[in-house]
Amino acid sequence: MSLPTHFKLNTGTKIPAVGLGTWRSEPGQVRQAVSFALKNGYTHIDAALIYGNEHEVGQGIKDSGVPREKIFITSKLWNTHQPNAAEGLQKTLDALGTDYLDLYLIHWPVRLVPNEFNQLLPVNPDGTRCVDRSWDQSETWRQMEELYKGGKVKAIGVANWSISYLEELKKTWTVVPAVNQVELHPFLPQHALKDWCDKHGIQLEAYSPLGSEGAPLMSDSEIQEIAKKNGVSAATVLISYHVNRGVIVLPKSIKESRIVSNSEVIPLSIEDMKVLNGLAAQGKAKRINTPLWGWDLGFDDWYSQ
Ligand SMILES: NC(=O)c1ccc[n+]([C@@H]2O[C@H](COP(=O)([O-])OP(=O)(O)OC[C@H]3O[C@@H](n4cnc5c(N)ncnc54)[C@H](OP(=O)(O)O)[C@@H]3O)[C@@H](O)[C@H]2O)c1
């Protein structure tokens, strides 16, 4: 069985099945990592304004010498820019040094209100985040649709949206999101969200496939057993799991040997996939990314489904 190297978005465009993540890739390291990845077979880069390194990601893209049109670049509208998506997009385009994105996502279904102390991650005096609960996400999506129609973004989507948020958005969308980028791995497989997105033609993307910083999921004994059986690393099993499931995967590394090995995906047997798909239900359910604004975003649903 051969695995797809690309998936097709509901816009008709093809998107590479594996992309390089760039969160927590320090500005001094990400330029080289991006350039190396593009020279070694990657054609898909996942960026975001909040990562604080888009300028260096852009330099890495230029250093690689790979023509812009051969690269699929994703970035994300940050929470404080929700009332003015065009401004958020322009900041990203300027930093990356490009005049269009292949995919632009709403980073979280949350508006944060900037204050005089912090423009990107504002906090209230009591330490909570400055969240505007009254903000209507359909207004943010309406602006995303405008950007899409304007041509500076070739596809639009969302990130960190649970089914309840998508159901709400569905009432007003005129463009169906092309992508939903969420935390996904065998410990948070989100089967119900996958079914919902499949039904609506929304492509899922898996972030934190290795469990994020330090790749903690690689030390799980059942993952290691499957890796040993297939003669590959635990990272390869965790990354391949998604492509075998029809999901795009975004492993992050700044190390050259890992960048190369993380792009190698293998077919997994029905038996292995059954084990991986069932780990969460057997008591290993775990969500790694839990931002301060996260707990009323339907994450509880995500566990139970
Ligand atoms: N939309 C969102 O809200 C959101 C949230 C989180 C992440 N993301 C996206 O998804 C990407 C991936 O998620 P992530 O960065 O959280 O974590 P991840 O890819 O699951 O794991 C990254 C960690 O694993 C290490 N690593 C990578 N390959 C390895 C290998 N083969 N063997 C051992 N260790 C390895 C990396 O260290 P080295 O770099 O030192 O190799 C790093 O510490 C992000 O970079 C970002 O682009 C999006």
Side-chain angles (χ1 to χ4, degrees):
M1 184 183 93
S2 67
L3 288 173
T5 58
H6 292 73
F7 295 107
K8 199 167 173 185
L9 298 180
N10 61 15
T11 55
T13 304
K14 287 203 300 186
I15 178 169
V18 182
L20 181 74
T22 60
W23 183 34
R24 296 192 183 124
S25 297
E26 294 300 323
Q29 298 167 320
V30 76
R31 177 175 182 168
Q32 154 273 327
V34 166
S35 170
F36 177 83
L38 292 173
K39 284 184 204 152
N40 287 275
Y42 281 73
T43 51
H44 178 180
I45 305 291
D46 184 73
L49 181 137
I50 193 62
Y51 301 163
N53 58 10
E54 285 194 315
H55 179 62
E56 292 76 12
V57 169
Q59 288 177 320
I61 290 169
K62 282 204 184 67
D63 291 350
S64 74
V66 177
R68 172 65 186 91
E69 64 276 14
K70 303 265 187 224
I71 309 170
F72 193 103
I73 306 178
T74 299
S75 187
K76 311 178 193 97
L77 174 72
W78 184 239
N79 304 355
T80 51
H81 292 130
Q82 288 214 1
N84 194 341
E87 188 183 298
L89 172 65
Q90 198 54 51
K91 282 180 192 286
T92 278
L93 293 175
D94 291 347
L96 289 169
T98 181
D99 53 8
Y100 73 95
L101 294 177
D102 296 280
L103 176 63
Y104 197 41
L105 308 176
I106 300 180
H107 206 145
W108 289 88
V110 171
R111 182 202 168 197
L112 289 175
V113 186
N115 61 26
E116 57 182 308
F117 304 110
N118 203 317
Q119 290 293 304
L120 294 176
L121 285 167
V123 278
N124 293 309
D126 66 0
T128 57
R129 291 275 182 224
C130 302
V131 176
D132 178 0
R133 301 277 174 211
S134 68
W135 183 259
D136 185 353
Q137 289 300 313
S138 70
E139 165 54 20
T140 312
W141 188 250
R142 188 195 60 73
Q143 293 178 55
M144 296 290 279
E145 290 179 346
E146 290 296 314
L147 296 177
Y148 175 58
K149 287 170 193 156
K152 282 188 181 174
V153 295
K154 306 292 175 202
I156 50 174
V158 294
N160 297 298
W161 286 51
S162 56
I163 294 173
S164 49
Y165 273 73
L166 289 166
E167 288 282 7
E168 193 55 34
L169 190 65
K170 190 181 162 186
K171 293 178 188 163
T172 55
W173 72 32
T174 62
V175 177
V176 180
V179 159
N180 186 14
Q181 183 184 114
V182 294
E183 179 176 333
L184 274 188
H185 42 69
F187 305 92
L188 194 65
Q190 306 207 49
H191 295 300
L193 181 69
K194 174 147 189 332
D195 289 348
W196 199 96
C197 288
D198 284 351
K199 195 172 122 206
H200 290 83
I202 300 173
Q203 173 68 49
L204 274 185
E205 291 187 345
Y207 76 62
S208 301
L210 307 175
S212 207
E213 194 67 27
L217 303 187
M218 287 179 64
S219 50
D220 178 81
S221 57
E222 281 166 286
I223 304 284
Q224 287 190 351
E225 208 174 296
I226 293 174
K228 198 170 159 200
K229 198 171 94 182
N230 287 279
V232 296
S233 71
T236 299
V237 171
L238 287 163
I239 291 164
S240 300
Y241 168 67
H242 297 288
V243 183
N244 279 267
R245 212 182 164 213
V247 169
I248 290 161
V249 59
L250 305 166
K252 171 263 173 185
S253 182
I254 45 119
K255 299 205 167 62
E256 294 188 350
S257 62
R258 291 176 177 175
I259 290 172
V260 170
S261 62
N262 288 351
S263 69
E264 290 156 7
V265 291
I266 60 156
L268 291 167
S269 66
I270 291 169
E271 193 191 15
D272 287 344
M273 285 302 285
K274 210 168 150 195
V275 172
L276 294 168
N277 275 325
L279 291 179
Q282 284 162 21
K284 290 191 176 176
K286 190 180 171 71
R287 185 180 165 81
I288 288 142
N289 288 272
T290 51
L292 287 176
W293 55 76
W295 290 108
D296 57 354
L297 294 181
F299 284 0
D300 289 344
D301 301 357
W302 296 15
Y303 278 115
S304 60
Q305 290 159 359

